[in-house]
Amino acid sequence: MPRRVLIGFGVDVDAVAGWLGSYGGEDSVSDISRGLYSGEVGVPRLLKLFKKYGIRTTWFIPGKSCVGHSLETFPEQMAAVRDAGHEIGLHGYSHENPVSMTLEQQKDILDYTYDLLAKFNNGVPPKGSVAPWWETSAEGTMLLLDKGIEYDHSHMAHDSQAYYLRDEDTWTRIDYSGKAETWMKPLQRGNVTGLVELPANWYLDDLPPMMFIKGSANSHGWVNSRDVEQLWKDTFTYLYREEEDFIFPITIHPDVSGRPHVLLMLERFIEWVNTHEDVHWVCMNDMANEFRAKNAPPAGARMPRGMESGTSQ
């Protein structure tokens, strides 16, 4: 079999939703305007970039960005994403943190945004999901399975290989008020499911180093884009040398990668990657499908709804 190196962009359209949800800018007119920049300026620029290089990507869109009922949403820009043939996936409604919500709230948002994106995408339901801020709840895997979601891009147990998610790992927190023996217990692994995980990776994310968030201690905003470019190149170089087949999912945001200096970095990186043999630019659903075709889940593993017979919806 020929070597298969799969690389792709996941575009998180946090935009206004990000400031309402995770970034802590809900009371800042200036921060909300940065969200508008993401949708109205960053999105068209990224679409132009992908068209130039013939790359099909995956856009994870908070429901707020495609409803089209207020100034805080971007129906025309999101329609352009859809009409260009890019994959569309789930990313919450207002970039809510799943850990902070009740099970009922999580389910309500998943149900609503699933139906919303399916309708928006001409009846094609989303296959993948990214948890806002990459924070997942204990119930998250089962909720996605029940909804028929086939892959997730939020966990970090690997960086270059897809794997099947477990339903719920459990561990014992340290309680300094008690005896040490009460917390000296190993992590207990849950049951492997049929939900494919395409690992997330903060080191392959444009946002932490190149976007300033006032309420986030680890955000910078002024890191030289060439430093980020070199980090991505070094990561790819190691994997290309040491691993036969691997995936390289990159996470970008129109808020960040829609800036001129970052767009130039992306051009340089794409052209550099294209000097390597056996490299294929794909959307994330393609990565998940190739993994699933080569790696059957364990017998009896709980499958996404609609895939119980082993076929996709």
Side-chain angles (χ1 to χ4, degrees):
M1 294 290 291
R3 187 180 191 188
R4 296 283 292 176
V5 175
L6 306 182
I7 182 171
F9 289 110
V11 185
D12 291 0
V13 191
D14 297 351
V16 171
W19 294 106
L20 294 175
S22 301
Y23 303 165
E26 65 272 16
D27 297 323
S28 170
V29 174
S30 177
D31 283 344
I32 295 298
S33 74
R34 295 167 68 186
L36 292 171
Y37 173 97
S38 171
E40 296 176 352
V41 181
V43 168
R45 285 178 174 174
L46 285 177
L47 285 174
K48 183 178 179 181
L49 173 77
F50 299 144
K51 182 178 180 180
K52 175 180 179 179
Y53 291 101
I55 296 175
R56 183 170 177 256
T57 59
T58 303
W59 293 63
F60 296 101
I61 304 175
K64 195 171 192 69
S65 293
C66 71
V67 179
H69 59 66
S70 75
L71 292 177
E72 298 171 347
T73 57
F74 312 100
E76 294 180 6
Q77 290 81 7
M78 295 302 98
V81 171
R82 176 196 63 205
D83 296 344
H86 298 286
E87 182 192 0
I88 293 176
L90 292 162
H91 197 38
Y93 183 79
S94 291
H95 214 267
E96 306 88 352
N97 187 337
V99 177
S100 300
M101 294 189 292
T102 65
L103 178 60
E104 180 181 10
Q105 288 173 325
Q106 294 177 65
K107 187 176 185 304
D108 287 346
I109 289 173
L110 178 59
D111 288 343
Y112 183 79
T113 55
Y114 181 93
D115 292 342
L116 184 69
L117 290 184
K119 181 179 179 180
F120 173 77
N121 200 24
N122 300 317
V124 179
K127 301 291 186 183
S129 175
V130 168
W133 216 232
W134 284 339
E135 288 289 352
T136 60
S137 68
E139 311 88 2
T141 299
M142 302 312 292
L143 288 173
L144 294 179
L145 287 166
D146 289 343
K147 201 65 189 174
I149 299 304
E150 298 180 11
Y151 75 86
D152 175 72
H153 179 53
S154 312
H155 295 253
M156 306 184 187
H158 211 295
D159 58 5
S160 62
Q161 301 294 331
Y163 58 94
Y164 285 112
L165 267 180
R166 292 187 292 270
D167 54 8
E168 185 177 346
D169 293 346
T170 57
W171 55 91
T172 304
R173 298 177 61 179
I174 299 172
D175 179 7
Y176 290 109
S177 65
K179 293 184 177 181
E181 63 188 35
T182 64
W183 71 74
M184 291 193 297
K185 301 176 182 180
L187 177 144
Q188 299 295 317
R189 290 173 170 80
N191 299 310
V192 175
T193 74
L195 182 64
V196 174
E197 179 61 32
L198 304 176
N201 189 339
W202 286 114
Y203 298 100
L204 297 181
D205 187 332
D206 64 352
L207 192 147
M210 294 189 287
M211 180 168 165
F212 173 63
I213 302 174
K214 288 174 285 189
S216 181
N218 72 334
S219 78
H220 298 278
W222 297 279
V223 171
N224 189 333
S225 60
R226 293 179 184 272
D227 291 337
V228 178
E229 177 185 352
Q230 191 60 54
L231 188 157
W232 291 6
K233 286 181 176 179
D234 287 348
T235 303
F236 186 91
T237 296
Y238 175 87
L239 296 174
Y240 194 82
R241 187 188 73 189
E242 299 293 333
E243 300 187 10
E244 181 67 16
D245 296 339
F246 64 92
I247 61 174
F248 202 84
I250 306 169
T251 297
I252 62 175
H253 303 73
D255 323 56
V256 183
S257 286
R259 298 287 176 178
H261 65 294
V262 186
L263 286 162
L264 289 177
M265 179 202 87
L266 293 176
E267 288 186 353
R268 293 191 302 269
F269 181 73
I270 291 169
E271 292 174 3
W272 176 82
V273 166
N274 287 344
T275 65
H276 297 74
E277 296 181 353
D278 304 314
V279 174
H280 306 272
W281 290 94
V282 299
C283 66
M284 296 210 177
N285 193 37
D286 294 328
M287 295 184 189
N289 287 340
E290 287 207 21
F291 172 79
R292 194 182 297 278
K294 298 177 182 178
N295 303 272
R302 183 165 181 181
M303 299 297 293
R305 180 179 57 82
M307 294 190 71
E308 293 85 358
S309 63
T311 59
S312 175
Q313 298 182 51

